[in-house]
Amino acid sequence: NAGVTQTPKFQVLKTGQSMTLQCAQDMNHEYMSWYRQDPGMGLRLIHYSVGAGITDQGEVPNGYNVSRSTTEDFPLRLLSAAPSQTSVYFCASKRTEYNEQFFGPGTRLTVL
Amino acid sequence: KNEVEQSPQNLTAQEGEFITINCSYSVGISALHWLQQHPGGGIVSLFMLSSGKKKHGRLIATINIQEKHSSLHITASHPRDSAVYICAALYNNNDMRFGAGTRLTVKP
């Protein structure tokens, strides 16, 4: 199993550009989530999904959209990037009934 | 939801020392998660516990529900233990709040 994969690993955007961060898992996990990690702060939940077709907002959802058309994939979209979205983004997944989360390797995003 | 507090923020130890990292939370939770973030950035799960104590190799995690406190101990520390250790409080199956992390450096 590849586990949780994320692409790209690094990305530089200009303010106002849009992009999609990709996340995929091959463990048939129902629950998937996106976090951002900023210096001096803990990971913060952006959006999560408990299954295909179901998404919900986390602690810091503004400026981000998600969709879950398949169990495997959970892309995160930035419609109009802002410098405040400069961060490291982690995708994670788990089985709903078990609480241990498996994390992807992260995407480092810089918005100029 | 209340914050998750970790201490210390940074910790430097000599190889072989016993390490303790503390985590406190201010409301009831369903479980407490300890994670390790490697210098390269990858995050791995160490423990998930809701009561008592768990041990894996040289790592021990304890939780005291009444005191809303958890500790992560590392016995006989080694330079390869150098990493950021993160605790996360699971409030329900979908809401997890993270501490800011403890940066551990173990010197040979």
Side-chain angles (χ1 to χ4, degrees):
Chain A
N1 288 349
V4 181
T5 59
Q6 290 183 239
T7 57
K9 290 188 177 180
F10 302 93
Q11 182 71 49
V12 179
L13 293 176
K14 293 182 179 179
T15 296
Q17 286 185 317
S18 63
M19 80 157 297
T20 299
L21 306 185
Q22 301 292 342
C23 174
Q25 52 89 13
D26 60 358
M27 297 174 282
N28 201 31
H29 286 171
E30 296 93 342
Y31 180 91
M32 296 185 74
S33 56
W34 276 102
Y35 298 93
R36 60 178 289 172
Q37 185 178 40
D38 300 296
M41 302 182 70
L43 289 152
R44 291 182 292 169
L45 181 65
I46 304 171
H47 284 285
Y48 66 93
S49 169
V50 298
I54 305 169
T55 64
D56 208 345
Q57 296 181 349
E59 186 182 356
V60 288
N62 293 340
Y64 307 95
N65 282 346
V66 292
S67 60
R68 184 94 179 268
S69 56
T70 67
T71 299
E72 295 78 18
D73 300 298
F74 190 43
L76 179 72
R77 297 184 185 86
L78 285 72
L79 298 179
S80 179
S84 61
Q85 294 178 304
T86 293
S87 188
V88 180
Y89 292 84
F90 288 94
C91 179
S93 74
K94 63 177 176 130
R95 290 197 181 282
T96 303
E97 64 270 29
Y98 299 112
N99 297 324
E100 181 183 8
Q101 291 203 76
F102 295 83
F103 287 82
T107 295
R108 185 174 295 274
L109 175 67
T110 300
V111 183
L112 303 176
Chain B
K1 294 294 187 295
N2 294 286
E3 294 181 350
V4 175
E5 299 289 339
Q6 278 187 245
S7 63
Q9 189 173 2
N10 293 285
L11 180 58
T12 300
Q14 290 297 131
E15 183 173 356
E17 286 185 357
F18 181 82
I19 306 283
T20 295
I21 299 170
N22 296 300
C23 176
S24 62
Y25 52 91
S26 53
V27 293
I29 62 172
S30 60
L32 196 290
H33 202 171
W34 281 102
L35 306 161
Q36 180 191 54
Q37 186 167 26
H38 299 294
I43 299 173
V44 296
S45 172
L46 297 176
F47 297 103
M48 176 73 78
L49 67 167
S50 55
S51 65
K53 179 167 79 173
K54 286 190 175 181
K55 184 176 188 295
H56 185 256
R58 296 180 293 106
L59 273 61
I60 303 166
T62 63
I63 188 168
N64 185 318
I65 298 296
Q66 288 74 27
E67 294 185 4
K68 298 183 177 61
H69 179 268
S70 177
S71 293
L72 177 68
H73 305 286
I74 305 175
T75 62
S77 60
H78 190 276
R80 65 175 175 267
D81 296 325
S82 298
V84 175
Y85 292 85
I86 301 168
C87 73
L90 184 63
Y91 288 94
N92 55 51
N93 219 24
N94 300 323
D95 190 4
M96 183 175 278
R97 299 298 172 103
F98 295 78
T102 295
R103 184 175 299 277
L104 171 66
T105 303
V106 181
K107 295 184 175 180

